[in-house]
Structure formats: C-alpha cells, structure tokens
Amino acid sequence: MPASSTTLNSTAADAAAPAASAAGVEPGARAAPGGAVKRATRAAKPASKVPAAENTLRILKLLASKRGPMAASNIATALGLPRSSVYHLLGVMEANGFVLHLHEEQRYGLGISAFELSSAYSRQEPLSRLGRPLLASLVDAVGESAHLAVLHGRDVLYIVEERAKNRPSLVTDVGVRLPSHLTASGRAILAALPKSQVRALYPNAAAFSARHDTESPIRKYSALSSHLDQVRQRGYATEHGEVTPGFGSIAAAVTDHVGWPTAAVAVTFLEDKLPAEQWPALAARVQKVADELSVRLHGRPSA
C-alpha cells in the first residue's frame, strides 16, 4: 500500500476513535455494515525487543519445515518481511554456516551449522532414551547387533549401540564418527534429504573417502546420487564391507513430522551368515523400528 494511503487510513482511524468512544464503542471495535458494532477478534502482537534475532529464528524454522531450499523472495513473502532485511539476515546466516546459498538455483537451504545444531540435540537424552529400548527389542528379535546414528556434517555419529549376544565387537561404538556415504546409516539419512542438500555436502571428489584398501564403489557424486536413488526405490539402505570387510549393514531413516531425517536405525551382521534372500525380511524389521521411533519423536513413519 502506498505511504499516502496508509497515512490517510491512519488519520481516518484516529478521527473515528473519539466518535466511537462517544457512541459507547470500546477501543479496538469496528463498525460492521448497517451500523452494527463488531469487536476486533485479534489482539495486536507485541513488538519484539530483538526483531533481528526473532526473524533469524523464523527463517530457520521456515527452512526446516520445507522439503527443499527456498528463494529469498519466497521467504520474505512467507514471513511478511522486507526483502532487503531477509537478504541481510541470510548473508549473516550464510557466513556462520546456518544456511547454504545454492547459486545455480538462487535458493537457500539449511547449512552445516544447522545440521550440527540438530545433531547436538539428537545426541542428547531424548533421542537416545527413546531409541535404546526399541533397539534392544530389535536385537532380541533378530539376534544381530543394532545401532542408532545421526548426521554430523558429512559423517554419521553413533549415539546408541546394542550388541547382540555372542556377536563380534564393531567399530560403530557410541561416539564414533564415520563417513556417511560409506555406511548404511548415512546412506539412509542422505537418501531422505533433498538432492540439493546432498550435493552441497558433497561438492567435489575431495569430499569422498575410503576406510581401507577395498575400493568403495562410491567415489564421486554421480555414483552417490545413483546409489541414493536405489535406496529411495528400495526403501532401505545397505552396506557391503565398506566399513569393515566381511560385515554388512541394513538401515532405515527416522523422520520428523515433515519427513526430514533425524537419525537412522541399522543392523550389522557377518555377511556370510545371512544369505542375500533374507535381507529384505531383516530390512522390514529395521524399517518397523525406524517408523516406531519416528512416531515417538512426534514425527511420522517413512513413506
């Protein structure tokens, strides 16, 4: 609305206030058609004492609620903020790693610092306490070791491990970090992320690594993208000896209320002890536990 129209409307409103008061109308009421008086149903929201901080948090919450990055103009429209303010805030957030600017798409998505903040919450008691009994039941049911992991930058961080009786120890102990593209847990989480976010995490060949002499089939983004497409189609992720030779893993993502991956549930086993034809049945059990944890986290089951 032009400034002149705003001024005229404000003046008219100010002039109407004494008349309304004289007619016995309380402040905040408005005249309805036909002269009837109708009270305003909305109270004005108090102005924030730190609007920049509040708007920064609003932007983060908005981006976190979306399945993919957004243009700055759309952010401004959704939040009712001036575009210039949004660009300034996004610049500061980008400099601190909380958003990523995807130049080719001219959009903004959550950055590494936002992932780390999310992972920091996930590493604390709520996720571990909710996940541990579910993993213990899974281990009892399948007789193999299970773990819960969260994304931490390009790595997965293991926050719960339940070892099966008479099964060998694994490298996936609590507190261990491993490259996400090498693990079933990491692949399950990456497959649930928007492709633009995965691309931002893996911008070049230097982002890929291997743990041992066995050559990983995923050494560049095109291979990772193709593999993640298979994970989405199949509904679960797998890993064949890329973390520890001879051991395989099956994993499924734990999602929040908007389908964003919060963690992954995985089972690890000796590959020569579990024929390939039995993997889908085990995957179904893993997926069921991931779905249950999603619900307990006030999320939703994976599609």
Side-chain angles (χ1 to χ4, degrees), residues 196-261:
S196 56
Q197 291 285 358
V198 178
R199 188 65 172 119
L201 288 170
Y202 291 89
N204 50 49
F208 295 87
S209 60
R211 272 183 49 81
H212 43 73
D213 293 338
T214 301
E215 185 73 11
S216 171
I218 300 177
R219 298 302 299 264
K220 55 184 180 179
Y221 178 75
S222 59
L224 176 62
S225 180
S226 177
H227 185 89
L228 296 182
D229 285 340
Q230 296 174 26
V231 173
R232 296 183 190 101
Q233 183 176 9
R234 188 171 52 222
Y236 60 91
T238 61
E239 176 257 316
H240 298 268
E242 292 160 73
V243 173
T244 303
F247 284 84
S249 293
I250 293 173
V254 177
T255 56
D256 66 10
H257 64 290
V258 295
W260 197 268

Coordinates of all heavy atoms in Angstrom, one line a residue, residues 196-261:
S196 N 19.5 -31.4 -3.4 CA 20.4 -30.2 -3.4 C 21.2 -30.2 -2.1 O 22.3 -29.7 -2.1 CB 19.5 -28.9 -3.5 OG 18.5 -28.9 -2.5
Q197 N 20.6 -30.7 -1.0 CA 21.4 -30.7 0.2 C 22.5 -31.7 0.2 O 23.6 -31.4 0.7 CB 20.4 -31.1 1.4 CG 19.4 -30.0 1.8 CD 20.0 -28.8 2.5 OE1 21.2 -28.8 2.8 NE2 19.3 -27.8 2.8
V198 N 22.3 -32.8 -0.4 CA 23.3 -33.9 -0.6 C 24.4 -33.3 -1.5 O 25.6 -33.5 -1.2 CB 22.7 -35.1 -1.2 CG1 23.8 -36.2 -1.4 CG2 21.6 -35.7 -0.3
R199 N 24.0 -32.6 -2.5 CA 25.1 -32.0 -3.4 C 25.9 -31.0 -2.7 O 27.1 -30.9 -2.9 CB 24.4 -31.3 -4.6 CG 25.4 -30.9 -5.7 CD 26.1 -32.1 -6.3 NE 26.9 -31.8 -7.4 CZ 28.2 -32.0 -7.5 NH1 28.8 -32.5 -6.4 NH2 28.9 -31.7 -8.6
A200 N 25.3 -30.2 -1.8 CA 26.0 -29.2 -1.0 C 27.0 -29.9 -0.1 O 28.1 -29.4 0.2 CB 25.1 -28.3 -0.3
L201 N 26.6 -31.1 0.5 CA 27.5 -31.8 1.4 C 28.7 -32.4 0.6 O 29.8 -32.6 1.2 CB 26.7 -32.9 2.1 CG 25.8 -32.4 3.2 CD1 24.9 -33.6 3.7 CD2 26.5 -31.8 4.4
Y202 N 28.5 -32.8 -0.6 CA 29.5 -33.4 -1.4 C 29.8 -32.6 -2.7 O 29.4 -33.0 -3.8 CB 29.0 -34.9 -1.8 CG 29.0 -35.8 -0.6 CD1 27.9 -35.9 0.2 CD2 30.1 -36.5 -0.2 CE1 27.8 -36.7 1.3 CE2 30.1 -37.3 0.9 CZ 28.9 -37.4 1.6 OH 28.9 -38.3 2.7
P203 N 30.4 -31.5 -2.6 CA 30.6 -30.6 -3.7 C 31.7 -31.1 -4.7 O 31.7 -30.6 -5.9 CB 31.1 -29.3 -3.1 CG 31.8 -29.7 -1.8 CD 31.0 -30.9 -1.3
N204 N 32.6 -31.9 -4.3 CA 33.7 -32.4 -5.2 C 34.2 -33.7 -4.7 O 33.8 -34.3 -3.7 CB 34.8 -31.3 -5.2 CG 35.2 -30.9 -3.8 OD1 35.5 -31.8 -2.9 ND2 35.3 -29.6 -3.5
A205 N 35.2 -34.2 -5.5 CA 35.8 -35.6 -5.2 C 36.5 -35.6 -3.9 O 36.6 -36.7 -3.3 CB 36.7 -36.0 -6.3
A206 N 37.0 -34.5 -3.4 CA 37.7 -34.5 -2.1 C 36.8 -34.8 -1.0 O 37.3 -35.2 0.1 CB 38.4 -33.1 -1.9
A207 N 35.5 -34.7 -1.1 CA 34.6 -35.0 -0.1 C 34.4 -36.5 0.2 O 33.8 -36.9 1.2 CB 33.2 -34.3 -0.4
F208 N 34.9 -37.3 -0.8 CA 34.7 -38.7 -0.7 C 36.0 -39.4 -0.1 O 37.1 -38.9 -0.4 CB 34.3 -39.3 -2.0 CG 33.0 -38.9 -2.5 CD1 32.9 -37.7 -3.2 CD2 31.9 -39.6 -2.2 CE1 31.7 -37.3 -3.7 CE2 30.6 -39.2 -2.7 CZ 30.5 -38.0 -3.4
S209 N 35.8 -40.4 0.6 CA 37.0 -41.1 1.2 C 36.7 -42.6 1.4 O 35.5 -43.0 1.3 CB 37.3 -40.5 2.6 OG 36.3 -40.7 3.5
A210 N 37.7 -43.4 1.6 CA 37.6 -44.8 1.9 C 38.3 -45.2 3.2 O 39.2 -44.5 3.6 CB 38.1 -45.6 0.7
R211 N 37.8 -46.2 3.8 CA 38.4 -46.6 5.1 C 39.5 -47.6 5.0 O 40.4 -47.6 5.9 CB 37.3 -47.2 6.0 CG 36.5 -46.2 6.8 CD 35.5 -46.9 7.7 NE 36.0 -48.0 8.5 CZ 36.7 -47.8 9.6 NH1 36.9 -46.6 10.1 NH2 37.2 -48.8 10.3
H212 N 39.6 -48.4 4.0 CA 40.6 -49.4 3.9 C 41.0 -49.6 2.4 O 40.5 -48.9 1.5 CB 40.2 -50.6 4.6 CG 38.8 -51.1 4.3 ND1 38.4 -51.6 3.1 CD2 37.7 -51.0 5.1 CE1 37.1 -51.8 3.2 NE2 36.7 -51.5 4.4
D213 N 41.7 -50.6 2.2 CA 42.2 -50.8 0.8 C 41.1 -51.2 -0.2 O 41.3 -51.1 -1.4 CB 43.3 -51.9 0.8 CG 44.6 -51.5 1.5 OD1 44.8 -50.2 1.6 OD2 45.3 -52.3 2.0
T214 N 40.0 -51.8 0.4 CA 38.9 -52.2 -0.5 C 38.4 -50.9 -1.2 O 38.0 -50.0 -0.5 CB 37.8 -52.9 0.3 OG1 38.4 -54.0 0.9 CG2 36.7 -53.3 -0.6
E215 N 38.3 -50.9 -2.5 CA 37.8 -49.7 -3.2 C 36.3 -49.6 -3.1 O 35.5 -50.5 -3.3 CB 38.2 -49.9 -4.7 CG 37.8 -48.7 -5.6 CD 38.8 -47.5 -5.3 OE1 39.8 -47.7 -4.7 OE2 38.5 -46.4 -5.8
S216 N 35.9 -48.4 -2.6 CA 34.5 -48.1 -2.5 C 33.9 -47.8 -3.8 O 34.5 -47.1 -4.6 CB 34.3 -46.9 -1.5 OG 32.9 -46.5 -1.6
P217 N 32.7 -48.3 -4.1 CA 32.0 -48.0 -5.4 C 31.5 -46.6 -5.5 O 31.2 -46.1 -6.5 CB 30.9 -49.0 -5.4 CG 30.6 -49.3 -4.0 CD 31.9 -49.2 -3.3
I218 N 31.6 -45.9 -4.3 CA 31.1 -44.5 -4.3 C 32.2 -43.6 -4.0 O 32.7 -43.4 -2.9 CB 30.0 -44.3 -3.2 CG1 28.8 -45.3 -3.5 CG2 29.5 -42.9 -3.2 CD1 27.7 -45.2 -2.4
R219 N 32.8 -43.0 -5.1 CA 33.9 -42.1 -5.0 C 33.7 -40.8 -5.7 O 34.6 -39.9 -5.7 CB 35.2 -42.8 -5.7 CG 35.6 -44.1 -5.0 CD 35.9 -43.9 -3.5 NE 37.0 -42.9 -3.3 CZ 38.3 -43.3 -3.1 NH1 38.6 -44.5 -3.2 NH2 39.2 -42.4 -2.9
K220 N 32.5 -40.6 -6.2 CA 32.1 -39.3 -6.8 C 30.6 -39.1 -6.7 O 29.9 -40.0 -6.4 CB 32.6 -39.2 -8.2 CG 32.1 -40.3 -9.1 CD 32.6 -40.2 -10.5 CE 32.1 -41.3 -11.4 NZ 32.7 -41.1 -12.8
Y221 N 30.2 -37.8 -6.9 CA 28.8 -37.5 -6.6 C 27.8 -38.3 -7.5 O 26.8 -38.7 -7.0 CB 28.5 -36.0 -6.8 CG 27.1 -35.6 -6.6 CD1 26.6 -35.6 -5.3 CD2 26.3 -35.4 -7.7 CE1 25.2 -35.3 -5.1 CE2 24.9 -35.1 -7.5 CZ 24.4 -35.1 -6.2 OH 23.1 -34.8 -6.0
S222 N 28.2 -38.5 -8.8 CA 27.2 -39.2 -9.7 C 27.0 -40.6 -9.2 O 25.8 -41.1 -9.2 CB 27.8 -39.2 -11.1 OG 29.1 -39.9 -11.1
A223 N 28.0 -41.3 -8.6 CA 27.8 -42.6 -8.1 C 27.0 -42.6 -6.8 O 26.1 -43.4 -6.6 CB 29.2 -43.3 -7.8
L224 N 27.2 -41.6 -6.0 CA 26.4 -41.4 -4.8 C 24.9 -41.2 -5.1 O 24.0 -41.8 -4.5 CB 27.0 -40.3 -3.9 CG 26.2 -40.0 -2.6 CD1 26.1 -41.2 -1.7 CD2 26.8 -38.8 -1.9
S225 N 24.7 -40.3 -6.0 CA 23.3 -39.9 -6.4 C 22.6 -41.1 -7.0 O 21.4 -41.4 -6.6 CB 23.4 -38.8 -7.5 OG 22.1 -38.4 -7.9
S226 N 23.3 -41.9 -7.8 CA 22.7 -43.1 -8.4 C 22.3 -44.1 -7.3 O 21.3 -44.7 -7.2 CB 23.6 -43.7 -9.4 OG 23.1 -44.9 -9.9
H227 N 23.3 -44.3 -6.3 CA 23.1 -45.2 -5.2 C 21.9 -44.8 -4.3 O 21.1 -45.6 -3.9 CB 24.3 -45.3 -4.4 CG 24.2 -46.4 -3.3 ND1 24.6 -47.7 -3.5 CD2 23.8 -46.3 -2.0 CE1 24.4 -48.3 -2.3 NE2 23.9 -47.5 -1.4
L228 N 21.8 -43.5 -4.1 CA 20.7 -43.0 -3.2 C 19.3 -43.1 -3.9 O 18.3 -43.4 -3.2 CB 20.9 -41.5 -2.8 CG 22.2 -41.3 -2.0 CD1 22.3 -39.8 -1.6 CD2 22.2 -42.1 -0.7
D229 N 19.3 -43.1 -5.2 CA 18.1 -43.3 -6.0 C 17.6 -44.8 -5.7 O 16.4 -45.0 -5.6 CB 18.3 -43.1 -7.5 CG 18.4 -41.6 -7.8 OD1 17.9 -40.8 -7.0 OD2 18.9 -41.3 -8.9
Q230 N 18.6 -45.7 -5.7 CA 18.3 -47.1 -5.4 C 17.7 -47.3 -4.0 O 16.8 -48.0 -3.8 CB 19.5 -48.0 -5.6 CG 20.0 -48.0 -7.1 CD 21.3 -48.8 -7.2 OE1 21.6 -49.7 -6.4 NE2 22.1 -48.4 -8.2
V231 N 18.3 -46.5 -3.1 CA 17.9 -46.6 -1.7 C 16.4 -46.1 -1.6 O 15.6 -46.7 -0.9 CB 18.8 -45.7 -0.8 CG1 18.2 -45.7 0.7 CG2 20.2 -46.3 -0.7
R232 N 16.1 -45.0 -2.2 CA 14.7 -44.5 -2.2 C 13.7 -45.4 -2.8 O 12.6 -45.6 -2.3 CB 14.7 -43.1 -3.0 CG 15.5 -42.0 -2.3 CD 15.4 -40.7 -3.1 NE 16.4 -39.7 -2.6 CZ 17.5 -39.4 -3.2 NH1 17.7 -40.0 -4.4 NH2 18.3 -38.6 -2.7
Q233 N 14.1 -46.1 -3.9 CA 13.3 -47.0 -4.6 C 13.1 -48.3 -3.7 O 11.9 -48.8 -3.7 CB 13.8 -47.4 -6.0 CG 13.0 -48.3 -6.8 CD 13.5 -48.6 -8.2 OE1 14.7 -48.2 -8.4 NE2 12.8 -49.2 -9.0
R234 N 14.1 -48.8 -3.1 CA 14.1 -50.0 -2.3 C 13.4 -49.8 -1.0 O 12.8 -50.6 -0.4 CB 15.5 -50.5 -2.2 CG 15.6 -51.9 -1.5 CD 17.0 -52.4 -1.6 NE 18.0 -51.4 -1.1 CZ 19.1 -51.1 -1.7 NH1 19.5 -51.7 -2.8 NH2 19.9 -50.2 -1.2
G235 N 13.6 -48.5 -0.4 CA 13.0 -48.2 0.9 C 14.0 -48.4 2.1 O 13.6 -48.1 3.2
Y236 N 15.2 -48.9 1.8 CA 16.2 -49.1 2.9 C 17.6 -49.0 2.3 O 17.7 -49.2 1.1 CB 16.0 -50.4 3.7 CG 16.1 -51.6 2.8 CD1 17.3 -52.3 2.6 CD2 14.9 -52.2 2.2 CE1 17.4 -53.5 1.9 CE2 15.0 -53.3 1.4 CZ 16.2 -54.0 1.3 OH 16.3 -55.1 0.5
A237 N 18.6 -48.8 3.1 CA 20.0 -48.7 2.7 C 20.8 -49.9 3.1 O 20.5 -50.5 4.1 CB 20.6 -47.4 3.2
T238 N 21.8 -50.2 2.3 CA 22.7 -51.3 2.6 C 24.1 -50.9 2.5 O 24.5 -49.9 1.9 CB 22.4 -52.5 1.7 OG1 22.7 -52.1 0.3 CG2 21.0 -53.0 1.7
E239 N 25.0 -51.7 3.1 CA 26.4 -51.5 3.0 C 27.1 -52.9 3.0 O 26.7 -53.8 3.8 CB 26.9 -50.6 4.2 CG 28.4 -50.5 4.2 CD 29.1 -51.3 5.3 OE1 28.6 -51.4 6.4 OE2 30.2 -51.9 5.0
H240 N 28.1 -53.1 2.1 CA 28.7 -54.4 2.0 C 30.2 -54.3 2.2 O 31.0 -54.1 1.3 CB 28.5 -54.9 0.5 CG 27.0 -55.2 0.2 ND1 26.4 -56.4 0.4 CD2 26.1 -54.3 -0.3 CE1 25.1 -56.3 0.1 NE2 24.9 -55.1 -0.4
G241 N 30.6 -54.4 3.4 CA 32.0 -54.5 3.8 C 32.9 -53.2 3.6 O 34.1 -53.3 3.6
E242 N 32.2 -52.1 3.3 CA 33.0 -50.8 3.1 C 33.5 -50.2 4.4 O 34.4 -49.4 4.4 CB 32.1 -49.9 2.3 CG 31.8 -50.3 0.9 CD 30.6 -49.7 0.3 OE1 30.8 -48.5 -0.1 OE2 29.6 -50.3 0.1
V243 N 32.8 -50.5 5.5 CA 33.3 -50.0 6.8 C 34.3 -51.1 7.4 O 35.4 -50.8 7.8 CB 32.1 -49.7 7.8 CG1 32.7 -49.4 9.1 CG2 31.3 -48.6 7.2
T244 N 33.8 -52.3 7.5 CA 34.6 -53.4 8.0 C 34.4 -54.6 7.0 O 33.3 -55.1 6.8 CB 34.2 -53.8 9.4 OG1 34.3 -52.7 10.3 CG2 35.1 -54.9 9.9
P245 N 35.5 -55.1 6.4 CA 35.4 -56.2 5.4 C 34.7 -57.4 6.1 O 35.0 -57.8 7.2 CB 36.8 -56.5 5.1 CG 37.6 -55.2 5.3 CD 36.9 -54.6 6.5
G246 N 33.8 -58.0 5.4 CA 33.1 -59.2 5.8 C 31.7 -58.8 6.5 O 30.9 -59.8 6.8
F247 N 31.5 -57.6 6.9 CA 30.3 -57.2 7.6 C 29.4 -56.4 6.7 O 29.8 -55.5 5.9 CB 30.6 -56.3 8.8 CG 31.2 -57.1 10.0 CD1 32.5 -57.4 10.1 CD2 30.3 -57.6 11.0 CE1 33.0 -58.2 11.1 CE2 30.8 -58.3 12.1 CZ 32.2 -58.6 12.1
G248 N 28.1 -56.7 6.8 CA 27.1 -55.9 6.0 C 26.2 -55.2 7.0 O 26.1 -55.6 8.2
S249 N 25.5 -54.2 6.5 CA 24.5 -53.5 7.3 C 23.3 -53.2 6.5 O 23.3 -53.0 5.3 CB 25.1 -52.2 7.8 OG 26.2 -52.4 8.8
I250 N 22.2 -53.0 7.2 CA 20.9 -52.6 6.6 C 20.4 -51.5 7.5 O 20.4 -51.6 8.8 CB 19.9 -53.7 6.6 CG1 20.3 -54.8 5.6 CG2 18.5 -53.2 6.2 CD1 19.5 -56.0 5.6
A251 N 19.9 -50.4 6.9 CA 19.5 -49.2 7.7 C 18.2 -48.6 7.1 O 18.0 -48.7 5.9 CB 20.6 -48.2 7.8
A252 N 17.5 -47.9 8.0 CA 16.3 -47.1 7.6 C 16.3 -45.8 8.3 O 16.7 -45.8 9.5 CB 15.0 -47.9 7.9
A253 N 15.8 -44.8 7.7 CA 15.8 -43.5 8.3 C 14.7 -43.3 9.3 O 13.6 -43.8 9.1 CB 15.7 -42.4 7.2
V254 N 15.0 -42.5 10.3 CA 14.0 -42.0 11.3 C 13.7 -40.6 10.9 O 14.6 -39.8 10.7 CB 14.5 -42.0 12.7 CG1 13.5 -41.4 13.7 CG2 14.9 -43.4 13.1
T255 N 12.4 -40.2 10.7 CA 12.0 -38.9 10.2 C 11.1 -38.1 11.2 O 10.5 -38.7 12.1 CB 11.2 -39.1 8.9 OG1 10.1 -39.9 9.1 CG2 12.1 -39.7 7.8
D256 N 11.1 -36.8 11.0 CA 10.3 -36.0 11.8 C 9.0 -35.7 11.2 O 8.6 -36.4 10.2 CB 11.1 -34.7 12.2 CG 11.3 -33.8 11.0 OD1 10.7 -34.1 9.9 OD2 12.0 -32.8 11.1
H257 N 8.2 -34.7 11.7 CA 6.8 -34.5 11.3 C 6.7 -34.0 9.9 O 5.7 -34.0 9.3 CB 6.2 -33.5 12.2 CG 6.7 -32.2 12.2 ND1 8.0 -31.9 12.8 CD2 6.3 -31.0 11.7 CE1 8.3 -30.6 12.6 NE2 7.2 -30.0 12.0
V258 N 7.8 -33.5 9.3 CA 7.8 -33.0 7.9 C 8.6 -34.0 7.0 O 8.8 -33.7 5.8 CB 8.3 -31.6 7.7 CG1 7.4 -30.6 8.5 CG2 9.7 -31.5 8.2
G259 N 9.0 -35.1 7.5 CA 9.7 -36.1 6.7 C 11.2 -35.9 6.6 O 11.9 -36.5 5.8
W260 N 11.7 -35.0 7.5 CA 13.1 -34.7 7.5 C 13.9 -35.7 8.3 O 13.4 -36.1 9.4 CB 13.4 -33.3 8.1 CG 14.8 -32.8 7.8 CD1 15.9 -32.9 8.5 CD2 15.1 -32.0 6.6 NE1 17.0 -32.3 7.9 CE2 16.5 -31.7 6.7 CE3 14.5 -31.5 5.5 CZ2 17.2 -31.0 5.8 CZ3 15.1 -30.8 4.6 CH2 16.5 -30.5 4.7
P261 N 15.0 -36.3 7.8 CA 15.7 -37.4 8.5 C 16.3 -36.9 9.8 O 17.1 -36.0 9.8 CB 16.7 -37.9 7.5 CG 17.0 -36.7 6.6 CD 15.6 -36.0 6.5

